[in-house]
Amino acid sequence: MGIKIEKVTVKHLGPIESFSEDFGLFNLIFSKNECGKTFLTEFIIQSLFRNTKRWKFREKGTGKVLVSGLDEGKLVEFSPSSSEKLEDYWEKDERGLPPSMVNLLVSKGAEPEIEDNEQGIGKNLI
């Protein structure tokens, strides 16, 4: 079974007072400039992954990201303050990184390219 972000809920995150949405297989979030799209993307990244300090995100915010496909039919809850992150599940599983990682692909701030430098997602990581 693949892993999938099922729901994202945040409060008081930059210009976003409140956001709660169930996610499908493909999700497009759009709005006018300065409405919080980047804050939301950064929240998701900080919730799911361990080593995010190098990206210098602005805020952590409060809320949660619910992910399926990690724990035998149960939803797993992540937040920026969670002690466990996705890497912890991969390390427990002898198979390592799930082949369905593409379902968690996130493009931040109109940067759809995979960059081969320190600021982007390197081809070696993928």
Side-chain angles (χ1 to χ4, degrees):
M1 179 199 318
I3 56 175
K4 177 179 172 282
I5 296 174
E6 295 288 340
K7 184 172 188 152
V8 176
T9 304
V10 298
K11 289 189 178 200
H12 311 296
L13 179 67
I16 301 173
E17 192 60 35
S18 179
F19 175 90
S20 182
E21 285 294 324
D22 293 327
F23 277 34
L25 291 177
F26 180 80
N27 304 279
L28 176 63
I29 298 172
F30 62 94
S31 68
K32 296 178 184 177
N33 290 341
E34 306 299 323
C35 288
K37 299 178 298 293
T38 300
F39 278 94
L40 184 62
T41 302
E42 290 177 0
F43 175 83
I44 293 169
I45 292 168
Q46 290 178 85
S47 294
L48 296 177
F49 298 101
R50 194 180 305 136
N51 297 315
T52 61
K53 289 185 176 108
R54 66 186 170 109
W55 289 321
K56 299 178 180 122
F57 294 144
R58 293 169 275 201
E59 295 183 28
K60 289 190 177 185
T62 60
K64 61 187 174 184
V65 177
L66 296 176
V67 176
S68 64
L70 292 172
D71 192 8
E72 298 183 28
K74 299 176 190 172
L75 291 178
V76 179
E77 183 177 306
F78 295 95
S79 72
S81 61
S82 297
S83 59
E84 281 199 320
K85 302 293 183 182
L86 281 179
E87 293 98 327
D88 297 308
Y89 285 86
W90 299 330
E91 290 167 2
K92 290 177 193 174
D93 190 336
E94 293 175 0
R95 295 171 292 174
L97 185 68
S100 61
M101 184 62 183
V102 72
N103 292 336
L104 291 176
L105 182 63
V106 174
S107 176
K108 175 183 139 338
E111 299 169 0
E113 297 178 6
I114 296 172
E115 299 178 34
D116 196 11
N117 63 44
E118 291 180 16
Q119 285 78 34
I121 299 173
K123 293 175 187 171
N124 292 335
L125 176 64
I126 293 177

